[in-house]
Amino acid sequence: MTLPFFVYGTLRPGEVNHGLFLRGRTRSEEPGRLADAVLYAGPGYPYAVEEPGGGMVSGELVTARPEAYEELLAELDRLEEYVPGDPRSLYERVERKVVRAADGVAVRAWVYVAAPAVATRLRARGRTIEGGDWRTPT
């Protein structure tokens, strides 16, 4: 399934991993918001933790160029330390609706959210980023 990616941390435009992984491989990048999620500070990068009725996470919807999609998907899975079915994964890649800021339309996108063990730890001892925007933590 070819979906855009919703990025909210180091893959956002202007951040270090955007240049390393996304520059020149995207067709579009536009602001968006993920509902029902809380953003937590990590060691140099954030984690979105799903929370029904929770907050909103700000980021960008990134649509990859078709010819770059498969390779980019594999590279992002490695970057996010996501291995399907592996309980040691830091993140899980899930399909969620993300609202485009420009027109309010909800689109399906891949989102890397904190894996269950990480999410449990963050809920117990993590530091939330109020407002849900990693670039403007409080």
Side-chain angles (χ1 to χ4, degrees):
M1 180 171 11
T2 303
L3 296 174
F5 299 92
F6 177 69
V7 299
Y8 54 86
T10 65
L11 287 164
R12 291 176 79 176
E15 300 295 334
V16 65
N17 282 328
H18 182 275
L20 294 173
F21 292 90
L22 298 175
R23 184 171 293 126
R25 298 167 90 180
T26 65
R27 193 175 63 200
S28 67
E29 299 174 8
E30 52 193 332
R33 296 180 315 278
L34 173 68
D36 296 326
V38 175
L39 199 60
Y40 285 85
Y45 48 87
Y47 287 98
V49 174
E50 295 189 286
E51 293 289 344
M56 191 83 67
V57 173
S58 296
E60 272 73 39
L61 272 166
V62 175
T63 302
R65 293 183 182 278
E67 66 276 11
Y69 187 82
E70 290 301 321
E71 183 180 15
L72 182 58
L73 181 64
E75 288 179 17
L76 294 181
D77 282 353
R78 279 191 298 278
L79 172 68
E80 304 295 7
E81 298 184 39
Y82 167 65
V83 178
D86 188 339
R88 297 170 297 175
S89 292
L90 294 181
Y91 291 90
E92 287 188 321
R93 178 171 38 89
V94 296
E95 179 187 336
R96 294 293 180 263
K97 287 186 179 177
V98 176
V99 175
R100 281 193 310 235
D103 58 11
V105 171
V107 298
R108 294 180 1 223
W110 289 125
V111 181
Y112 290 92
V113 298
V118 174
T120 298
R121 202 167 48 247
L122 289 168
R123 286 183 188 111
R125 300 184 298 279
R127 182 177 62 83
T128 60
I129 297 173
E130 297 303 320
D133 191 335
W134 186 60
R135 289 186 171 163
T136 56
T138 55

